[in-house]
């Protein structure tokens, strides 16, 4: 069942526990944290003992320092508020749920971390994961929706993307689009996957503008099990046979790509 709202003393202790945990995760001593916050070590000690609470500007500064939200800093557990009509509003870090009074609620907390160091205006690391729509944007971004130089998540856009749906120079995912794409469905300059489409493609079904290698291959230079392929794969076909065919029919192909495509047919 939903618990009643916390008292001021309980909130103080929740903040104190969080502060101790976050400070230790960062590797700060009480003295170092005091210097960063421009307060005395005794003030930090009282915060961590639950004897006092910082004023609002200090709380905001602490949240920024530790890369968390103000809400998560002072009350990570569910807090409820009775609303008109016999419903209650459950509020926790990053999400709000309205349910009938007396209902059992399982709130799935989220997690967010944002580094204080930045590059080109982006935090070096931004992690924002949990229930619901959570966006992460950073040099390294991890989230349900991630945007960054390196992106990891359900949907991601980045130079390097590892996502369910990924877009990037190097993209790996269920659906991958990029310069080099690997996935269940891959579209790219070089594509590898169950269904691969690109200038150079290899996979179960490969369609390419230049070279295709796979179970079913369609391209000017093609290696596949289908009868109309330029080189038909059989049990006797060796990787060396594929490499020789690619060398003869696509002489400008770089050795590394020729080896990779030959491996796809082996």
């Amino acid at each position: 069942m939903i618990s009643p709202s916390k008292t001021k003393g309980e909130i103080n202790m929740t903040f104190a526990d969080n502060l101790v945990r976050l400070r230790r995760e960062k590797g700060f001593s009480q003295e170092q944290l005091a210097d960063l916050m421009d307060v005395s070590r005794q003030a930090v000690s009282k915060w961590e003992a639950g004897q006092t609470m910082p004023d609002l500007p200090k709380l905001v500064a602490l949240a920024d320092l530790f890369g968390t939200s103000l809400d998560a800093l002072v009350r990570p557990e569910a807090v409820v508020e009775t609303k008109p009509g016999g419903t209650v509003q459950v509020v926790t870090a990053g999400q709000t749920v309205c349910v009938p009074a007396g209902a059992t609620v399982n709130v799935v907390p989220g997690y967010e971390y944002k580094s204080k160091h930045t590059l080109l205006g982006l935090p070096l690391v931004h992690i924002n994961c949990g229930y619901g729509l959570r966006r992460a944007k950073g040099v390294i971004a991890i989230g349900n929706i991630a945007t960054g130089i390196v992106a990891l998540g359900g949907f991601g856009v980045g130079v390097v993307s590892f996502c369910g749906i990924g877009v990037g120079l190097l993209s790996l995912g269920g659906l991958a689009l990029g310069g080099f794409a690997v996935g269940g469905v891959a579209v790219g300059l070089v594509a590898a996957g169950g269904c691969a489409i690109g200038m150079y493609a290899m996979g179960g079904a490969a369609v390419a503008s230049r070279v295709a290698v796979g179970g079913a291959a369609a391209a000017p230079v093609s290696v596949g099990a289908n009868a109309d392929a330029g080189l038909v794969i059989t049990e006797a076909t060796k990787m060396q046979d594929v490499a020789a065919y690619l060398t003869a029919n696509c002489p400008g192909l770089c050795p590394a790509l020729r080896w990779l495509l030959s491996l796809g047919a082996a």
Side-chain angles (χ1 to χ4, degrees), residues 19 61 64 70 72 75-76 125 128 140 177 214 233 254:
L19 182 60
D64 290 342
L70 192 59
R75 56 175 197 188
V125 178
N128 192 6
I140 299 176
L177 295 86
I233 300 173
C254 72

Side-chain angles (χ1 to χ4, degrees), residues 124-129 134-167 170 172:
L124 292 180
V125 178
H126 186 191
I127 302 171
N128 192 6
C129 300
R134 291 181 171 268
R135 302 174 185 272
K137 187 175 182 180
V139 176
I140 299 176
I142 303 173
N144 296 354
I145 297 178
T147 306
I149 295 177
V150 178
L152 296 88
F155 175 81
V157 178
V159 176
V160 179
S161 176
F162 302 92
C163 302
I165 299 175
V167 180
L170 169 62
L172 287 81

Side-chain angles (χ1 to χ4, degrees), residues 101-200:
T104 299
V105 178
N106 294 318
V107 179
V108 181
Y111 171 79
E112 182 173 15
Y113 167 78
K114 185 182 292 185
S115 64
K116 63 179 181 179
H117 299 294
T118 62
L119 178 65
L120 301 177
L122 295 174
L124 292 180
V125 178
H126 186 191
I127 302 171
N128 192 6
C129 300
Y131 178 81
L133 185 64
R134 291 181 171 268
R135 302 174 185 272
K137 187 175 182 180
V139 176
I140 299 176
I142 303 173
N144 296 354
I145 297 178
T147 306
I149 295 177
V150 178
L152 296 88
F155 175 81
V157 178
V159 176
V160 179
S161 176
F162 302 92
C163 302
I165 299 175
V167 180
L169 184 62
L170 169 62
S171 180
L172 287 81
L175 172 60
L177 295 86
F180 186 94
V182 179
V185 177
V187 180
L189 180 66
V190 178
C195 178
I197 303 171
M199 182 176 290
Y200 303 95

